[in-house]
């Protein structure tokens, strides 16, 4: 039973446009969420996080939106750059230490 | 220094071999983690060490044996593995077990033949 879902396995976006990556979760007890970026042959790199008491967190070109009623979060990248091409995982915190990861979305930014 | 290092990068072992994976961080983090990631799947938590003590074992088979010799090092000892154990093994660390940000190493790609 996948508690964190990323329903789009891949996404292609033109350079300079907005990339929107989506994540849905089922457990209303999750209270902290993160996005990780992963390049081939590297471990996941922390990107941005959001607490359940907020609905938006922004860091440079990256913004994460949280809709608790819909159990949905999204990552916006504006403007998208070719170096953003990677696999993006969302993760939800279960308890104090355990992250449940989504299956990932492969983003390809076209030059 | 926000780096978590893992050695080796790649490992091929037979089912009767004994090998070890190593992980190191020098960020002063007191919580360290082992994850297993199969192809096209998300990382799955295996073990959590907090202040050099094993605090969580996610029902991992005993052929995987973790060890935390000091606050900077984390090992994963492997013995009598099965081909289905072939995966990417990721190490991560965080300030402590309650810290929400985990820093990951590049992983060890393990193939069991």
């Amino acid at each position: 039973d996948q508690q964190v879902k990323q329903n789009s396995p891949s996404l292609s976006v033109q350079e300079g446009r907005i990339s929107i990556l989506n994540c849905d979760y089922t457990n209303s007890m999750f209270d902290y969420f993160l996005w990780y970026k992963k390049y081939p042959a590297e471990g996941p790199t922390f990107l941005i996080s959001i607490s359940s008491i907020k609905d938006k967190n922004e860091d440079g070109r990256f913004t994460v939106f949280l809709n608790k009623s819909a159990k949905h979060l999204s990552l916006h990248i504006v403007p998208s750059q070719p170096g953003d091409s990677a696999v993006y995982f969302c993760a939800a915190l279960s308890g104090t230490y355990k992250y449940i990861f989504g299956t990932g979305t492969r983003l390809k930014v076209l030059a | 220094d926000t780096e978590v290092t893992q050695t080796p990068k790649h490992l091929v072992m037979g089912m009767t071999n004994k090998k070890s994976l190593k992980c190191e961080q020098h960020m002063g983090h007191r919580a360290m983690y082992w994850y297993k990631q199969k192809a096209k799947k998300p990382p799955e938590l295996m073990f959590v060490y907090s202040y050099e003590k094993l605090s969580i074992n996610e029902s991992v088979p005993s052929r995987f044996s973790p060890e935390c010799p000091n606050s900077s090092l984390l090992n994963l000892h492997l013995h009598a593995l099965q081909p289905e154990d072939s995966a990417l093994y990721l190490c991560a660390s965080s300030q402590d077990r309650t810290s929400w940000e985990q820093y990951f190493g590049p992983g060890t790609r393990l193939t069991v033949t």
Side-chain angles (χ1 to χ4, degrees), chain B residues 11-69:
Chain B
L11 178 63
V12 180
M13 61 185 291
M15 290 188 283
T16 58
N17 292 159
K18 285 185 180 181
K19 296 286 184 183
S20 297
L21 309 184
K22 296 185 185 303
C23 173
E24 191 166 3
Q25 56 86 15
H26 294 287
M27 295 178 277
H29 288 176
R30 303 312 297 271
M32 296 184 77
Y33 311 78
W34 279 114
Y35 287 84
K36 174 182 177 180
Q37 185 178 21
K38 301 281 280 183
K40 298 185 179 181
K41 297 284 188 180
E44 295 180 354
L45 184 66
M46 301 175 70
F47 301 104
V48 180
Y49 270 83
S50 178
Y51 290 86
E52 297 92 68
K53 292 190 189 311
L54 181 66
S55 59
I56 301 294
N57 176 339
E58 291 287 327
S59 301
V60 179
S62 60
R63 58 186 184 268
F64 295 92
S65 174
E67 178 198 19
C68 190

Side-chain angles (χ1 to χ4, degrees), chain A residues 31-90:
Chain A
D31 57 8
Y32 200 79
F33 304 88
L34 291 84
W35 283 94
Y36 282 91
K37 178 169 71 172
K38 187 178 185 304
Y39 293 115
E42 294 184 14
T45 302
F46 169 74
L47 199 58
I48 193 168
S49 62
I50 189 166
S51 166
S52 61
I53 62 173
K54 295 187 175 182
D55 55 18
K56 176 182 175 182
N57 188 25
E58 194 170 353
D59 184 2
R61 296 187 297 115
F62 302 93
T63 303
V64 56
F65 296 92
L66 176 63
N67 182 334
K68 285 188 67 177
S69 60
K71 297 191 183 70
H72 176 85
L73 67 156
S74 61
L75 175 68
H76 293 211
I77 306 173
V78 182
S80 301
Q81 299 173 355
D84 296 329
S85 297
V87 177
Y88 289 78
F89 289 96
C90 66

